[in-house]
Amino acid sequence: MAETLFFNALREAIDEEMARDSSVFVLGEDVGHYGGSYKVTKDLYQKYGELRILDTPIAENSFTGMAVGAAMTGLRPIIEGMNMGFLLLAFNQISNNAGMLRYTSGGNFKIPMVIRGPGGVGRQLGAEHSQRLETYFQAVPGLKIVACSTPRNAKGLLKSAIRDDNPVLFFEHVLLYNLKEDLPEEEYLLPLDKAEVVREGKDVTIITYSRMRHHVLQAVKTLEKKGYDPEVIDLISLKPLDFDTIGASIRKTHKVIVVEESMRTAGIGAEVIASINDRLFDELDAPVLRLSSQDIPTPYNGNLERLTIIQPEQIVEAVEKMVALRV
């Protein structure tokens, strides 16, 4: 086992896959000479050259379209979005091209590409750099959506995403890049369609993903001291949702809280709750509770920014309130 930073875990995954498969290449703004805005591609330019670590102009729609074309020819592009919010400029290429071409071509083309980069609410990065694009793309057919949350799952999931024959949106949180974790020395891959039971418990199921996994675990420390026993699920796969894992937990606890950094309206939490009500309504002892960010652009002011997103103390309060409910 070797202690590895989150961004280095991503770098290792890309390096290993590029060494294994010559069809894998990286493109994006400042990925080459500069090594990526968060150093995920540091030094790979020297190792693989400018045709496989490709610096692009500031033109997200153009280089995303180029990557789709490359994927159609059998290459495996990895797009780095300097900030995932900028990929709104490539929404057409991601939705109308990457997501649909395998279907509209009658299966004649595969689109094996990964679109990855930093997103989420940072620390005083302002509204345009604090985007949560998973909510924008969840309705697009043909895409897989993954949100990594630890160095271990970041590496294993990214390797699997690169090998997948479908377009994968791979969301990393800007505030998790300096997390450290011991990683296995040997190669490992993790499934793109499975949630992780982070903590087993019996009182209530807390469903979360990305950075909120760590807010939930902070809350759990307080809850344990108060005698509560929550189960924690990290969704990881936002599309498709892993309802085998979700369902098994709800059949045990019968109470659910969804914690997300996404905005409340039409967010991931809204889809999770609708799906739970469709499939598992009779298992619920109380309505599902949703803890989400406020529906406003993220303020630059640090105090206001904190107020827009869910904090551990709010999770503690929600668990206490829900567990107190008796049927």
Side-chain angles (χ1 to χ4, degrees):
M1 304 288 279
E3 188 176 64
T4 306
L5 287 160
F6 193 107
F7 72 89
N8 276 331
L10 294 165
R11 183 188 178 281
E12 288 179 9
I14 294 171
D15 189 13
E16 290 174 13
E17 291 305 301
M18 290 186 73
R20 187 188 73 88
D21 184 349
S22 62
S23 68
V24 178
F25 73 102
V26 179
L27 71 164
E29 297 146 355
D30 288 338
V31 297
H33 291 274
Y34 188 69
S37 55
Y38 290 89
K39 301 306 177 187
V40 173
T41 55
K42 184 181 178 182
D43 298 331
L44 295 183
Y45 171 82
Q46 287 88 341
K47 187 172 182 180
Y48 295 104
E50 62 184 11
L51 291 180
R52 295 188 67 196
I53 303 290
L54 183 61
D55 279 321
T56 66
I58 302 174
E60 283 80 5
N61 57 344
S62 297
F63 66 72
T64 302
M66 184 177 75
V68 173
M72 292 172 71
T73 69
L75 299 177
R76 291 184 175 271
I78 305 168
I79 294 174
E80 175 173 302
M82 182 183 287
N83 181 279
M84 292 297 264
F86 302 156
L87 290 176
L88 288 174
L89 295 165
F91 195 99
N92 177 63
Q93 285 72 26
I94 297 170
S95 58
N96 282 333
N97 300 151
M100 295 186 184
L101 273 168
R102 189 166 187 176
Y103 297 85
T104 56
S105 71
N108 286 313
F109 295 110
K110 297 177 182 177
I111 313 295
M113 63 185 290
V114 176
I115 303 167
R116 54 151 296 272
V121 178
R123 198 158 282 134
Q124 292 189 266
L125 296 180
E128 290 185 3
H129 290 70
S130 295
Q131 300 275 20
R132 288 138 290 180
L133 292 195
E134 63 270 21
T135 63
Y136 293 60
F137 285 105
Q138 65 170 325
V140 177
L143 302 178
K144 293 186 177 182
I145 304 178
V146 173
C148 57
S149 54
T150 68
R152 181 181 181 277
N153 67 36
K155 182 177 180 179
L157 291 166
L158 184 53
K159 287 175 68 71
S160 295
I162 293 168
R163 298 187 192 188
D164 199 279
D165 284 337
N166 299 283
V168 180
L169 267 62
F170 195 90
F171 287 99
E172 304 148 18
H173 199 288
V174 66
L175 292 183
L176 298 183
Y177 280 125
N178 287 324
L179 282 182
K180 294 180 180 179
E181 189 176 15
D182 289 336
L183 300 187
E185 301 275 347
E186 65 277 4
E187 182 181 56
Y188 68 96
L189 288 87
L190 296 175
L192 297 178
D193 59 352
K194 296 295 182 184
E196 178 187 350
V197 179
V198 180
R199 182 191 188 277
E200 294 192 2
K202 64 180 188 303
D203 288 341
V204 60
T205 297
I206 304 176
I207 298 173
T208 190
Y209 67 93
S210 190
R211 182 193 176 205
M212 285 294 117
R213 166 179 174 145
H214 303 281
H215 276 212
V216 169
L217 291 178
Q218 285 183 51
V220 165
K221 292 178 182 178
T222 301
L223 290 165
E224 286 174 337
K225 293 176 183 177
K226 294 185 174 188
Y228 295 98
D229 186 22
E231 181 148 303
V232 179
I233 294 177
D234 184 346
L235 286 174
I236 295 175
S237 176
L238 306 185
K239 190 173 185 179
L241 293 169
D242 175 11
F243 256 88
D244 289 339
T245 299
I246 293 170
S249 180
I250 292 173
R251 290 184 183 96
K252 177 169 57 172
T253 67
H254 305 288
K255 294 179 179 179
V256 188
I257 298 173
V258 180
V259 181
E260 61 180 343
E261 192 179 87
S262 173
M263 294 75 70
R264 182 177 180 86
T265 300
I268 298 297
E271 178 60 31
V272 171
I273 292 171
S275 297
I276 289 172
N277 287 335
D278 283 346
R279 304 181 189 203
L280 299 161
F281 183 80
D282 290 342
E283 296 290 340
L284 297 174
D285 286 347
V288 181
L289 181 60
R290 176 174 25 157
L291 301 180
S292 311
S293 293
Q294 296 185 37
D295 289 334
I296 59 173
T298 304
Y300 172 77
N301 178 281
N303 291 326
L304 294 177
E305 177 187 74
R306 188 180 190 278
L307 290 172
T308 65
I309 60 176
I310 295 300
Q311 301 298 329
E313 56 268 24
Q314 294 170 277
I315 301 168
V316 171
E317 181 182 348
V319 170
E320 290 176 328
K321 185 182 296 184
M322 177 159 280
V323 174
L325 294 172
R326 297 287 181 237
V327 177

